[in-house]
Structure formats: C-alpha cells, structure tokens
Amino acid sequence: MTGKQKKSPVLKVEDLAVAYKVRGGEIEAVQRVSFEINRGETYGIVGESGCGKSTVAWAIVNFLGANGYVKRGSIKFQGQELVGKSGEELRRLRGDQIAMVYQDPMQALNPSMRLGDQMKEVLTVHRGMADDEAAQHCIQMLERVYMPDAANVMRRYPHQISGGQQQRVVIAMALLNNPALLVMDEPTTALDVTVEAAVLDLIAELSRDFDTAIMYITHNLGVIARVSNRVGVMYAGEMVERGTVAKIYKNPRHPYTQGLMRCVPKLGADKAGSILHPIRGRVPPPTHRPAGCVFGPRCDYIQDKCREERPLLRDLDGIMVRCHFAEEIIASEWTPSEELALPQIEAVSSDSETILELNDLKKYYEVQGSSFKDVIGLGEKRYVKAVENANFTVAKGKTLGVVGESGCGKSTLIKTIIGLEGSTSGKATFMGFDISGDISGRDEALIQELQMVFQNPDSTMNPSYTVGQQIGRPMLRFGTVPKNQVRGEVIKLLESMRLGENYYDRLPRQLSGGEKQRVGIARALASRPNLVLCDEPVSALDVSVQAAILNLLLEVQQEFNTTLVFIAHDLSVVRFFSDEVAVMYLGQIMEIGPADAIYAPPYHPYTEALLSAVPIPDPTIQQKHIRLEGSVPSAINPPSGCRFHTRCPRRKLLPHGGKICETELPNWQITGDGHRIFCHIPAETLQTFDPVITVESD
Amino acid sequence: MARFLIRSIISTIVTMLLVSMALFFLLEVGSGDITVKILGVFSTPEQRASYRSQLGLDAPAWQRYVDWLAGNDWRVKSRVGYPLVTIPNKESGEAEWWADVEGQPTRWKLEEGQLLALKRQGDGSTTEQIVSGDWQTDESGAEFFWGVDTKNNAVKWMRGEGAEVWVLTKAGLRKEGDGPQTYIPLRKGLLRGDAGESLQFGRPVSATLWSRVRNTAVLAGVAFIIVMPLALFLGIIAGINEGKLLDRIISIGGLGATATPEFVTGIFLILIFGIWLKWLPAVAIFTSANAIFENPLLLALPVMTLTAVELGYIARMTRASMVEVMDSAYIRTAIIKGMPYRRVVVRHAIRNALMAPITIIMLHVNWLIGGLVVVEVIFGYPGLGKYIYDAAIFGDFNAVEAAAMVTVTIAIATRLIGDLAYTLLNPRIRYA
Amino acid sequence: MAIAQPTAGVRPSRWQQMWKSVAIIFESRVATVGLAMVLFWLLIGFISLVWTPHEPNASDFIQNLPPNGTNWLGTDHLGRDITSRLMQGTQVILLKTRLPGDSEISIPGGVAIWGVIGSLVLGVTLGLNAGYRGGWWDQIIMQILDALIAFPRIVLYLVVIAALGQGDMVVILAITITGAPGVARLARSLAMDIKTRDYIRAAETRGESVRYIMFREILPNARGPLLVDAMLRVGYAIFAIGTLGFLGIGLPPPDPDWGNMVNEARRNIFSNQTAVIWPSLAIATLVIGLNLFADGLREELTRYQK
C-alpha cells in the first residue's frame, strides 16, 4: 500500500443525491454520499445489491438513463464540476479522462465488431490518431495486460475469446487514453475465482504503473481487501462508513459493517473463523426507507434516537461513521440474538451407514461436429467428458461439499445422482438401490428420498403457484401426508423455515430472494427425503442473507437427519458447512477428504491454487501467491494423463519437468483418514508445502 | 456455419417434398369431380367417366403424385417398348410426345380397327403407315398394343374392340369409336419443369405461368425497392427516439397501415386517386401481358397498396430491434467510451439492429404473396396471384399446384437467403 | 388443478385480484383506445342480435342511396340497408358460428374466435411438445410446421377452400391451420426458455410426468405472451375473413359479411362511392383496435416484468 501525500483529489463527490423519476413521483436511489479519490489510489465501494453503489458510478459518468438525474450535491473531477456540464463536454471527458469497466464483459463488447475496431476508435475519436498508429497502441496495451497473441486478438470477435480475456480487453480499452479516473463496477464478479485473482493482480499492477485513480465497486469484501487502500461502505443508498481498509476491517464502527464482517465466510486459518452470523431482516427498497437511521430496523443496538433522527457522518478515530452510538458499540462483545442463534452441531457418529456410493461414475455428452458427415449422423462421435470416474461415499446425516470452478462438472455430477441425466458408465447406489440410470427408471419411493435445492432464487419457484401449493405438491404427489392434512404440514414446514403461516397464500413475486430460497428448501424437504442435493443454494444471494440460509440448512439437517451434498464454487463457503469436501477440476475429482484436511497441507496443487486465489476479507491474513496460467481446456478433448498438467504450477517438482503427468493418469494417494489426492507428486512432497493462508502477527 | 447451411438445405428439401405432397393430395383427393367443371353440369356420368380416364384420373393417387412430381415416361417406356421423347410442335411450339422407334419419331392411331403408325418427317409433317403386324398377345390370347397417341398419352388399344370414348372438341363433346382401353397422360414431371396441362385452358401450365411470374416479380420488386430503405429508415428513426412523439407517430401509423387489410387500403386508394382526384386510372386495364411495360403508370396504385401494408410491418420490426439494441450493454459501453452519438448509432447499433428484422422480413415474404393475390385481384393485374386465384376458383388443380409450388419455392428460397444474410451479418454464427 | 387449494385461506378477494390484473390495461393509453374500439364493435354485435334498424337481407329500398335520414349509411346495389347489414356483419365474425347442414343452428362465438381457439389448442400442444421434449419430437414437429409456414397464407386458404368448399367450419379450419404454426413457434420458444428454470428441474426431480410438466408447470407461465398473441391473431383472423369475403370465397350467404360487402360495393364503385367505405372502415377499425389493444398490453406487460 502506497503512502499518500496531500494533494488535490482526482474525484471529489460531495453530498450526492441521485433520483429516478417513476410513475407517481420519484425515488432517491442515492442520498448524502461523499468521498474523494486521489491519484494512484484505489477506492473501494462496498455494499449489498440495491444499495446504490452502481448508481454512484453512473452518476459520475453521467449515464443515468432518461429518468435519472443528480438531484443534489456535486461531483468534482480534477477540480471541475461535472454536474450541470453539457452533454458534449461530458462526452469528451468520457473514454478519455474518465473510463469505466463493468461487470459482464461479454455483454459490454459489441458482438458484431472486431475487437481491434472497438479498441481503436477510442484513440481515433478522442485523439484523432491515424488508424495504424492506433492499432499499434492497442496491441501494445493488450500486451501490457498480458493478453497472449495480442495482434491476432485485434482481428477477433468477442465470442471467440474467453471471459477472462474479454475482461482484459475491456480493461485495456479503458486504459488506452491513460485516464485520470477509472471506474470499475464489479469487474470480476462474473469470473471464476482463479481468473478473478489474475485480473485483480493486473488491476493492482496497473494502478501502480499508470498512477490512475480507481473507483472499485463490489459486493465482495474480500476483493476490496485485496485491491483497495480506502473503502466506503454503502447501505440503502447512503454511505454509512468510510476509512482506510486496514482500520475498518480491523475495527468496524458501524453496526452494519460489523454485521457484514460477521456474515461473510472467511477463509481463515481455522474452522472457527468460518462461523457465520447473519444480519436479520433485509435491505429496505428505496421507496420504504425508514425515517431515522436507514439501518435502524436491522440494528441490534437500536434506540429511540435512531428511529427519529438521521445520524450524520462523523469522524471517529480516523473513520467516518454514520451512527449515533458508534462509540458505545463494541463489536467483540456482540452476541447473536435469540432468533439468530447458531444451531448446535452435534458430532454425528462417524461410523454411520453409507447412504450414497459412487463407483467410477462417468457422464459423457455426445457433441455434434460441423462437417457434412456429422450433420447427417455418420461422423465420428465425440464426447464432452463432463464427469470422469467419480468415486466416493457419503454417510447418512453427513454433508459432502463439492468445490470447483465453472465447467468442472460439479453440476453434472449431481444431475446424474438425482437422475436428471443417466450416467454413461459406472455404478451409483443410493440406500442400496442402483441409481445409475435416469429418473424415469426409478421407483417412486426412491425419487421421494432424493430431492434438490436450486441455485437461482428467481427461478426456483413457479411464478404461477402460491407458496403453499408448491410446498404441498410433493406431499400430494408422493402421498406422504393425507390430503386433508397437507395444509397443516406445509405450515409446520414453513415455520421451521422461519416463515409464518401468512406466507402460505403468497405468490413468488411477493417474496425476497432469501425467502424464495427458504421455500425452495421447504419444498425439497416436503417429501421427507434422505438425501438433499444443493446446487450453490446461496451463491445468488447477498452475503447477509447467505449466512441465514446456510445456517438454516444446517439446522434442518440436524432436525431431519438429512444427508446433504452441497456444491459451491468458493472454498470458503463450504468450509464450516461440510464434513467432507471434494475438489473437482475438468470433470475429475482431484482431492477428497475431511474438510479440515483439505484446507491444510498436503494439498493437491489445484486445491492449493484455489485457496490462494480466494479473496479473503481480512487484510491481516497472508496468502501465498499462486496463479494458474492459461484457461481451462475444453472438456471435449481433455488433456491426456493428468487433466491438470497443462496448468499445474507444481509439476516441475517431478523429474523431467513432470513428463509423467502428460502421459499417465496419477494414482490416488491416501494421506490420512479418508483423505485422498489424485496426483503424481508424492504425498511426502506435498506435505512439505507451506500452508497457503497464514495470519500475520503484528 | 457449414453445419448451419447443410441443415438449412436438408430441411428445405424435406419441406418442399412435404409441401408438394400436401398440395397434391389436398387438391386432387380433396376436391370434387373436376370433369363437371370442364364438361359442364349437363354432361352425363358416362361422358364424365370417359373424360376422367382420358385425364388419367382413374389411376391411384400415389401413382399420380409420382407422375406429377417426377414424370412417367421412364415408367411407361417399357410398356411401349421404345424410348419416349418430346419434340416441339412446329406451329405452337408446345412439346409433343413421340416414341423414338429406331431414330424415327412415331405415334400411333387406330382407325376403323386398323393400327396406323404416324412417322414424323423432318419438316414436321407425318406419314401414315399401317402396322397390323405390331399387335401383341397377352396370356388370355387377346391382342393388344401399347403406343403413343396424338394427344400425348401413352395408350393401350385392344384389337377388334376399340372403346367408345367421348372426345372434347371445340364444338363440344363428340363420341368416337376406336378408342384405347387405358390412358396414361405422358408428363415429364414437375421436377423436370413440366407442370401438366391447365384444365381450364387445355394448354401446358408452363406456357402461361412464366409471364405471370414475371409480372408479379416486377410489381413486388418495385414495391420492395420502395419499401425496404424507407421502412428500415423509419424504423431506425423511431427506435432511437423511443417514446418520443416521432416514435409514436411512426409506430401507431405503421400499426394502422399494417392492420388494415390490403383490399381496404386498395379501395381507399382507388377512391382517392382514381375517382375523387382522377390522377390515376381507377381500374387498371391490362390489355396484354406486357401492358405494364407499355404504361408503367398502371403500376402506381398496386405498388402503393403493397407499400402501405408492408411499410408499417417492417418499420415496426426494425424499431423493436433498434430499441432492444439501444438498450444493450455494448451500446452503453460505446457511449461511456465517449463516442459521438452519431457514431454510436451508425457504427455500433445499426448492424446489430438489422440482424433480427432481416430474417423476419424474409419470413414475411409469404405474407407479401398473400397481399399480392388481393392486390392483383383488386386491380385485375395479370400476375401470379391472380393466376392462383382464378385457377383455385375454377378448380384447375394442375395450375394451382404449379403456381402454389412457385410461391412456396419463392418463400422457402427467400427464407434460405434470409438465413444466409443472417449468418453473414452475425459473426457469432459465421465463425462458429 | 391437482394442487391442493387452501381450505381456509383468506385471500384478498378474487375480484380485487382480477381487477388488479385488468387494471394494467388502463395504464396504457394505446391499449385503452384499442379496447374501446373492440368493445364498440362487440356492443354493436350484441345489439344487432335483438335489433337492427331494418331487415338486413331485404331489398326494401331504392338502390344505391347515399346516407340519409332513413338509411343512415345509405343502401347498397340491391337496395338493402347498409347500417343493418354492417351491424349484423359483426355476428359471424365475433358472436356466432353456423353449423354445417341446412339447419339454422348456430353456436356462440364467432368464426374468428373459434378459429383462434383452434390454432391455440393445436399450436400450444405442438409447441410445448417440441419445445419441452426437444430432440426428434422437435425436429419432426418443426419440419411439419415449416412446411405449413412455407405456404403463403392466402394460398393455403385458397387450397383449403378449393378442396373443401365454402362454409363457416371450413373458414374456422383454414384459420386454425394457418394460425397453428405461429402459435406453435411462440409456444415452443417460451417452453424452451421456461424449461431452463429451476422449478422445472424441481418438477423433474419429483418424477412428474411430461404432460404434467408441460401443461401444469410451463403453460401457466407462458399464458401472458400467448394471450397477447391470441389477441393479435383474432385481428389476423378478422383480416383473413374479410379478405376471403372480398375474394368471394369466405363465409357463405345469406348473412352479411363485411369482406363480401366491400367486394360487392367495389363493383358498383362508380355509381355509389359511399357504400364501399363503411364495411372497409368497419374491418379496419376492428382489426386496428385489436392490434392496438394487444400492442399496448404487451408493452405494459414487459414493462411490468422489468
């Protein structure tokens, strides 16, 4: 972190309020936001969805749409006031002095223009540069962001390069004119964690080299900790706290920030750090913000003054905080309120019966080529090898977490288990019955024992039916409950999901994301299944809600003695939650074992890289710096030998630079109680690796 | 892209086959007795039966379908014993069927029990020759002969038992003896460009169809040239002004024009320009098939009618697509890159916005053909649409089938072109 | 519905909910205007069932009269009252269908309505099967529909009518056949979109039957766009009936048919110019009304979804 001198800020936002005109009035999406960013500094803005952080960014580049406008306050860029400037003056600044990078790079690039043309025009329009000179600049800039084969990329279309590469193009494009201010709105959210890590490294490096002021918006506290020097926390359209990352992460003063810190999974050195405490309630929509402190209704320390009077932003030991009682609140003395108390986790005896067993389970998808032969069905058949030789067992009442990046086959694995897909070969047994075929061949009673919780809260419920109808349907279908008792049973279930009877007649559109997810869990439990498969049930939720859902699942598991298989892309989420963890890469399970064993050496080199990539919301934690090269190969033609050999940073440890990895499949190495690693490198060598995560002692 | 094209082509072939079957069976099997229409309601059942057999209608439907589609000379050849050839008639130019007897084009006729061979000479005339020795004998001992008659049928005569047949002449029906027992009207089949004879006019369909197709092509072409640029322009203008007054006017106006049936638009145009203002001929009189080339003004009202209907539709499609594109993230990127508005619209938006309408417009061609039928009927325009209409009203199924196949081919071909244009415009498919 | 209805649930009254979903129409000026135009003609149709100013089919007056006090819109070339004929013309389109045979029996619901219902039933069934099942089902169904779509609509009408003759039922059939491919394509694309949702996965993991998933899980969520489309299709159907009438191959006499009225008046356009205007206006306003209504509704619904 660079020391900063006193100089005039690049961007100074004061008392900003942005309003949107809607039918019958207007909504103030953002109120009373003030902050400033200096040269060479990365300023983080963090908050949950709907808190107005993107609106601030749009206000700065003056792109608020037809119905939005800056209602109050000022935005000063290098001393000149942006609010009230004419469209043409702002246009000249945009793309030249102020550049922006935002979330989904695939959407951000014009699908029918060559990348080179899209980049060059930034120079030709703003700088009046000649075409080939501009092309030279663009190639240099692409090389600067470590784009392989830069000259070639200029001639390509966006869909021809990977997501991580697209984001590099967008970043290179933003930097072409060496802007004084770079606004980044969730630039890595759509990327996989290892790709994200590389992009974050790049951003940090660029901010150093170009001396650009960066405004970095994200919902991820871990990312902020990695890239920025100072941070502003936004809640419900207001900035509730701002200060340096070091101070705020160490000692947050606002109850909301404290709550956030408690509910974000931290990949700390020990399991205890992974316990999550949710914040009760939910973010109020802009139309229903409370009169006093916006956080009041969710605050554990609320007093009468908070309900009546809006707190002002005030300085407290170098941290600006918007709370009446910040001095009196001591985060370390916080205890969860009754309703949020954590479930007591009893140790399930380890020798309980095996409920699910996979033996060499494979799932291949046939793909069609594009030659004439292929089209008429005579071509050679090719396959996507989505799951290769999956072997594991799950004991009753336990939780298996499956971790991996997108395309690693984890979703296919559970689809095959639940029977949405039939397996290609191998054997899967559940409660002693064969389940290697798809669901159409399964017995009704078996179907009832296997249920699933889905990822996306917005699509998990059928919008046409009420909550009660949807939870009741499995009961009726499997006849687990007599018809006249269904309602009572559904309400019982709703109550154990901490939703009341009054939810029975609601339609999905009347529920929040977290509530929908609870209903989804209730529906999965309605047929009293033995095994519930969870497909990233919390990844689409805000962090404060995430924790509540995770805890609920744990509670449910205790209550019904349900077995869980839990998919996640992020190692920190499964840590606290799972008894066992499996790490997948490109269809292959690379490492599996008890949760604690996975997070400590010996690691599989891929697990090690994953752990090193996860952004941790704690600046005091040190991570080893391991980055994977290239991108995930195609599953149609996976690398021979060990599938990870093309990107493995550790294979040089083997003789001949790991020749053996390219030709031969590794053997499973048993390194302890149920812990297995699929690698050529001897377990003894793996054991000698330093832990990825260490706590800095200061 | 290859994959996409191959699929399109295979699908097109299958579609055409299905369409031809549907057309053929619906019309030939579904429609009533065509001979009533040709011979008049006062004809006797015996006359109709005789005429039906002369038309080859007593063969099973599937057999007639194959004949119609692929011709039957290759099938009949073995019965006659000689290759069958077509030679244009010296006077009318229409193709005549002859048997190729060792290089000598030959037909046969039965006259008072005598089998005569008609041998075609180089100047088009024929010489007659009695060929009584050519009769053949079947298992039961009856003598028969398969040959080509003078009306382009392959026929089977039985020696000594010339059938009584009713022959349609200009003067009406006449009963003749010495008729053949079986008729197989010879045809090359649609695939080889022979659509059979028009039942209404007694001449080959292909002789009259092509000038109609040409006239329609002129009408549709002129309308297309006027409509396309105008509609795309209006659509784009409306799209970038979404929600503003200009957009409202173009959208609602376009909707009104599209939702108004062609005949209503046509009638109003006739009333306004033909009757009240008297600027244009109210009823276009097409003296000959070439009238439009002599007096292009006759095209004005038909073209205006078509334009009114198509303009709105295409403009609205383009507008919708433009609105969607202008709302997309990459347009936002372009604006935030500080590109001037003009450049954003011209370089970034238009190409993407035109992709969707082009396929839709190409699919819309069969709607246009529907409009053409109505427009041609209103104005008495001698085009394909009027041709189908007249043929359908008469029940002239050879003509309907041929004309409908032409329209279907046009519709499918344009769809294929639309697909191609889409792949060319859209790099995501081109490089897939 | 197979799903248990709550036995003692207290709902915010069905009527209120229904009104809420209807009220969306009035959010859009375009939809309101369209609805008014359609309701106007519906009203005229209902009135004509019990009362018309004169006998619609009787030649009681002097031919080709311009509008006057007795005959508000004038008389036609046979001396029949145009107002009465125009009013009764709404019936065959919107209100009643004459059954085949000589019987005078009619069933409620006009030819346009039944034709659209027919194409909805056929199209939705085909489209859901193609979209949800995919694979060979999709290939075969789409191939057949492609062949149907390849027919220029009017040619298909001509062919169907050339083959089967005139009649209310034939027109319904023709509208059904020509409309079904469009409905099927829409239903297919909706099904393909909806089937990616997790609640469909949930139904599949419950082992629900394909029929249940298609009609109970997918169809209710495809309702909105299908209804808007159906509204447009009623417009097309009226458009088509008018065109067929104009070509002289539409609904059989004696009941007046707007398209045929235009056709007859056109032949006498030099002696009576007003007679051609009224039925033309009637068709145009009704079709435009339906289009405006559907258009406004669609815009409002998509805004609502955003």
Side-chain angles (χ1 to χ4, degrees), chain C residues 83-272:
Chain C
T83 320
S84 308
R85 289 179 68 71
L86 208 57
M87 284 176 73
Q88 211 187 7
T90 46
Q91 289 180 12
V92 267
I93 306 177
L94 297 173
L95 299 179
K96 65 166 193 187
T97 298
R98 293 160 293 174
L99 292 176
D102 292 330
S103 60
E104 286 290 300
I105 308 167
S106 304
I107 51 172
V111 171
I113 310 288
W114 283 112
V116 171
I117 291 175
S119 46
L120 267 183
V121 171
L122 185 63
V124 164
T125 312
L126 290 174
L128 287 183
N129 273 296
Y132 176 65
R133 292 180 196 246
W136 282 108
W137 280 85
D138 190 24
Q139 298 266 331
I140 291 170
I141 290 174
M142 288 320 284
Q143 188 67 66
I144 292 169
L145 293 178
D146 268 356
L148 267 180
I149 286 176
F151 271 105
R153 210 173 264 256
I154 200 120
V155 174
L156 200 56
Y157 288 135
L158 283 170
V159 167
V160 168
I161 285 158
L164 302 177
Q166 273 173 272
D168 287 9
M169 285 301 173
V170 176
V171 173
I172 290 178
L173 183 73
I175 293 172
T176 299
I177 293 177
T178 49
V183 178
R185 277 181 167 244
L186 178 65
R188 172 177 177 265
S189 66
L190 289 167
M192 282 168 64
D193 177 22
I194 293 170
K195 83 168 174 186
T196 62
R197 309 289 162 86
D198 287 340
Y199 56 85
I200 302 299
R201 291 295 85 64
E204 285 167 356
T205 55
R206 282 202 303 271
E208 302 280 9
S209 71
V210 171
R211 271 227 333 245
Y212 180 91
I213 292 176
M214 288 195 304
F215 291 100
R216 288 289 164 77
E217 296 276 353
I218 295 180
L219 188 56
N221 298 305
R223 209 168 34 189
L226 282 173
L227 276 181
V228 171
D229 181 66
M231 220 81 79
L232 280 177
R233 274 177 201 286
V234 174
Y236 291 151
I238 295 168
F239 188 125
I241 294 168
T243 305
L244 292 177
F246 177 78
L247 295 176
I249 50 172
L251 301 170
D255 285 2
D257 163 38
W258 289 347
N260 201 26
M261 285 169 72
V262 178
N263 189 29
E264 287 169 355
R266 172 181 75 111
R267 297 175 196 281
N268 301 289
I269 197 164
F270 289 99
S271 43
N272 182 359

Side-chain angles (χ1 to χ4, degrees), chain A residues 176-366:
Chain A
L176 275 172
N177 282 331
N178 197 6
L181 174 66
L182 182 58
V183 179
M184 305 187 111
D185 188 358
E186 307 254 12
T188 58
T189 305
L191 305 175
D192 266 323
V193 53
T194 56
V195 183
E196 174 181 53
V199 173
L200 290 178
D201 287 350
L202 175 69
I203 292 170
E205 186 188 325
L206 294 173
S207 120
R208 233 179 7 252
D209 295 2
F210 286 82
D211 211 21
T212 310
I214 297 178
M215 170 172 158
Y216 196 102
I217 295 172
T218 180
H219 68 279
N220 190 328
L221 286 164
V223 170
I224 294 277
R226 191 172 282 175
V227 296
S228 61
N229 324 75
R230 290 191 299 145
V231 62
V233 180
M234 286 193 69
Y235 178 78
E238 291 188 5
M239 196 170 270
V240 292
E241 184 165 13
R242 65 183 155 92
T244 63
V245 167
K247 274 189 176 164
I248 286 189
Y249 277 57
K250 191 170 179 211
N251 188 11
R253 306 308 295 262
H254 195 281
Y256 174 64
T257 319
Q258 293 167 359
L260 267 187
M261 295 290 176
R262 279 192 293 266
C263 66
V264 180
K266 280 193 205 89
L267 200 55
D270 53 2
K271 192 166 173 171
S274 304
I275 298 173
L276 307 178
H277 301 283
I279 305 175
R280 64 193 160 97
R282 57 161 136 159
V283 184
T287 43
H288 290 87
R289 290 194 180 132
C293 173
V294 280
F295 186 62
R298 302 177 73 189
C299 184
D300 291 330
Y301 308 97
I302 186 164
Q303 316 238 349
D304 286 343
K305 192 179 178 191
C306 306
R307 293 194 185 90
E308 288 148 15
E309 197 183 319
R310 284 225 161 168
L312 295 173
L313 206 59
R314 59 206 176 87
D315 194 331
L316 202 70
D317 313 331
I319 290 180
M320 297 295 280
V321 61
R322 196 186 285 279
C323 176
H324 291 303
F325 302 101
E327 298 88 341
E328 295 153 38
I329 298 168
I330 297 151
S332 53
E333 288 175 8
W334 178 86
T335 47
S337 61
E338 186 111 333
E339 55 173 318
L340 296 177
L342 271 187
Q344 286 303 307
I345 296 173
E346 301 154 27
V348 185
S349 60
S350 57
D351 49 33
S352 64
E353 52 171 326
T354 295
I355 191 166
L356 178 72
E357 182 171 4
L358 303 190
N359 284 313
D360 287 337
L361 194 77
K362 281 187 185 141
K363 175 65 196 175
Y364 292 178
Y365 294 101
E366 207 179 300

